[in-house]
Amino acid sequence: MGRGKVVLQRIENKISRQVTFAKRRNGLLKKAYELSILCDAERERERKGRLKRDLEREIEMGRGKVVLQRIENKISRQVTFAKRRNGLLKKAYELSILCDAEVALVLFSHAGRLYQFSSSSNMLKTLERYQRYIYASQDAAAPTSDEMQNNYQEYVNLKAHVEILQQSQRNLLGEDLAPLATNELEQLESQVVRTLKQIRSRKTQVLLDELCDLKRKEQMLQDANRVLKRKLDEIDVEAAPPQPPWNGNCSNGQGGSGVFSSEPPQPEHFFQALGLHAVDVNQPPAPPPGGYPPEWMA
C-alpha cells in the first residue's frame, strides 16, 4: 500500500478489539467465499471475451453488483487463486494478531494441493476444539423424546385453556347461550352484575376525581381574579386627578372656627337689610277683614 511497514500487535481496548474482530471476521469469510466461487465455477462475462482482471477490478472498486461465478479460463483461474489465497492467509494472520483470536484456515486448491494457517502451535488442537463445539451445539439443539412429550402436553393444556377463555368471553358478550343450563346462566348473570358494579364504582371515582380537579382549578382562578382586581384598584387610585384646594373665610375673620365653602364669595350688596315696623304691645290687634266669628264674640 506504500504507507510504510506496519507492526501488527494486539489491540488493548476491549471494545475496539471486538469491533475490529467483527469487521475482519466478515471480511475473511467473504474472501474465502469469493475464492471458492471464482476459482471453481463459470463466470458469465468470461463467455463474452472479457479478462479476469476486469472482474477483479470491478470487485475491488465496487462498480455495481457482480455475480460471482466460476472462471472458465484456466490460466486466469490459477492467477486469481494465487492472489486471493495470499490475501486470505494475510487476513487470517492479521485477525489472529489484532484481535487475539484463535484462527485455523484449511484450503485445498482445484488440483488438491493443501494450504493451511493456524494461529496456535498445533492445528489439531484447534480442530478438536471445533469438533467439541459442533457436537455440543448439536446435542443442545436436539431435544429428547421426554422433552418433546412434555412440550406437547403443555401445548395441549394451553390450547384447552385458551378455548375455555374464548367461550367465556363469548358468553359474556351474550353469544352461544343456548348450551348453558339454568345454574350456569345464573352464575353468568351474577358475574355480569358484579362486573357492572365495579365498572360503575370506578366511573364514580373517576368523576369525583375530575370534580375535585375542577374545584381546585376554580379556586385558583378566583384567587387570581381577586389579585387582579386588587391591582386594578391600585392602578385606578394612582391614576385619579388631584382634588382642588378649599376656598372660604372664617366666620370671625381671624382664623377661628368657621364653615368653609367651595363656592365663590358673594358681593356685599347681595345681602339686603330687612325693614321692621314698631309694634305697640298695648294696642289690641286689628280684627280680620271678615270680622271675628260669633262664637268668639260670646
Side-chain angles (χ1 to χ4, degrees), residues 141-283:
T144 61
S145 59
D146 295 337
E147 292 180 353
M148 294 179 62
Q149 184 66 26
N150 294 334
N151 293 336
Y152 178 76
Q153 187 65 32
E154 185 178 0
Y155 163 74
V156 172
N157 295 335
L158 291 175
K159 183 179 179 180
H161 186 61
V162 169
E163 292 178 354
I164 293 173
L165 292 177
Q166 291 177 351
Q167 181 64 30
S168 177
Q169 183 180 8
R170 288 194 296 268
N171 293 336
L172 290 174
L173 295 175
E175 302 174 358
D176 298 339
L177 299 178
L180 300 180
T182 305
N183 56 350
E184 294 177 348
L185 292 174
E186 291 178 354
Q187 294 178 359
L188 183 62
E189 182 181 5
S190 61
Q191 184 177 358
V192 171
V193 170
R194 289 195 302 270
T195 304
L196 287 176
K197 287 182 179 180
Q198 295 177 358
I199 294 173
R200 289 169 181 169
S201 176
R202 178 57 184 169
K203 180 182 177 181
T204 304
Q205 184 64 34
V206 171
L207 293 177
L208 290 176
D209 294 341
E210 292 179 356
L211 181 60
C212 293
D213 293 339
L214 292 176
K215 287 184 177 180
R216 184 164 53 254
K217 291 180 180 179
E218 181 184 5
Q219 185 64 31
M220 293 172 61
L221 292 175
Q222 289 179 355
D223 297 340
N225 189 18
R226 284 194 292 268
V227 173
L228 292 176
K229 281 185 177 181
R230 190 180 305 111
K231 291 183 179 179
L232 185 60
D233 294 339
E234 294 175 356
I235 294 173
D236 292 341
V237 171
E238 293 177 357
Q243 296 294 334
W246 293 97
N247 294 325
N249 298 322
C250 296
S251 60
N252 54 8
Q254 296 181 358
S257 61
V259 178
F260 293 93
S261 175
S262 62
E263 297 179 358
Q266 301 294 338
E268 294 181 357
H269 66 271
F270 180 80
F271 300 97
Q272 301 293 334
L274 296 177
L276 299 178
H277 301 281
V279 180
D280 189 1
V281 297
N282 295 324
Q283 187 180 359

Side-chain angles (χ1 to χ4, degrees), residues 11 14-30 95 98-99 101:
I11 300 175
K14 184 177 180 181
I15 298 178
S16 301
R17 187 167 64 249
Q18 291 177 351
V19 173
T20 305
F21 174 77
K23 291 182 179 180
R24 290 183 173 267
R25 175 201 61 198
N26 295 336
L28 181 62
L29 295 176
K30 181 180 178 182
L95 180 63
L98 293 175
C99 303

